[in-house]
């Protein structure tokens, strides 16, 4: 029938592919919980295996959340509006402040440069305890969800 959109397939990504896609995007959203509230902020990051490293300033809500080992997630995606396709990756874990001088020095010397003004010399880590990803792509027939668990379909 003319005017109908083609069917799309929702594909659950393997962890390696999800991490590889996440590494292609320098900016994503960090979501963290504090005092029964959710906060989201755009952050530019450095991925190391499953962990997300980023920089922040003294006195920020992110630094406080890291010192409290708050639950958090990093979400990054690439959406192509005209084709209604794209992918999304979610890395879940706990925030912490990096205190190892070698790691701090390595991150501060890396290409990771904060976009916001001011000194952002505190290095934070989101431990990559869980990595999930989805890709929406053209598919034959009706929409298909590949994967077996309800948690894979719900995030």
């Amino acid at each position: 029938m003319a005017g109908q959109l083609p069917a799309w397939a929702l594909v659950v990504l393997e962890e390696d592919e999800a991490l590889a896609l996440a590494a292609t995007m320098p900016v994503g959203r960090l979501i963290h919980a504090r005092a029964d509230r959710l906060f989201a902020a755009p952050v530019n990051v450095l991925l190391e295996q499953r962990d997300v490293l980023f920089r922040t300033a003294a006195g920020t809500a992110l630094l406080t959340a890291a010192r409290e080992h708050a639950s958090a997630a990093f979400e990054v995606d690439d959406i192509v509006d005209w084709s209604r396709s794209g992918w999304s990756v979610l890395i879940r874990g706990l925030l912490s402040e990096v205190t190892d001088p070698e790691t701090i020095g390595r991150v501060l010397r890396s290409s990771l440069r904060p976009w916001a003004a001011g000194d952002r010399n505190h290095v934070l880590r989101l431990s990559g305890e869980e990595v999930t990803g989805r890709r929406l792509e053209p598919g034959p027939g009706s929409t298909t969800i590949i994967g077996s668990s309800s948690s894979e379909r719900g995030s």
Side-chain angles (χ1 to χ4, degrees):
M1 177 185 291
Q4 274 191 326
L5 294 173
W8 302 100
L10 181 62
V11 177
V12 175
L13 301 174
E14 295 292 329
E15 183 176 299
D16 288 347
E17 183 179 4
L19 289 169
L21 287 169
T24 67
M25 304 301 275
V27 177
R29 286 159 295 287
L30 184 81
I31 302 99
H32 67 280
R34 276 192 45 237
D36 295 328
R37 295 183 67 198
L38 293 175
F39 296 87
V43 292
N44 57 323
V45 300
L46 180 65
L47 288 179
E48 288 189 345
Q49 289 82 39
R50 302 175 90 204
D51 292 350
V52 181
L53 296 169
F54 56 99
R55 295 168 60 174
T56 194
T60 63
L62 283 176
L63 183 57
T64 300
R67 289 177 174 168
E68 295 171 354
H69 300 283
S71 293
F74 175 72
E75 193 273 339
V76 63
D77 53 48
D78 188 19
I79 305 300
V80 182
D81 185 48
W82 66 267
S83 68
R84 298 181 152 214
S85 62
W87 55 265
S88 180
V89 172
L90 187 66
I91 301 173
R92 294 180 182 106
L94 296 176
L95 286 175
S96 63
E97 182 177 14
V98 175
T99 57
D100 170 50
E102 183 179 319
T103 303
I104 293 169
R106 183 172 40 78
V107 171
L108 295 179
R109 289 186 306 272
S110 76
S111 61
L112 179 59
R113 298 284 181 254
W115 291 7
D119 290 331
R120 299 192 180 283
N121 295 324
H122 291 269
V123 177
L124 306 185
R125 177 187 311 274
L126 171 64
S127 62
E129 295 172 12
E130 181 183 10
V131 177
T132 58
R134 313 284 181 273
R135 182 176 54 247
L136 190 62
E137 59 187 27
S142 62
T143 302
T144 306
I145 296 179
I146 300 172
S148 58
S149 77
S150 61
S151 67
E152 288 179 338
R153 292 188 297 271
S155 60

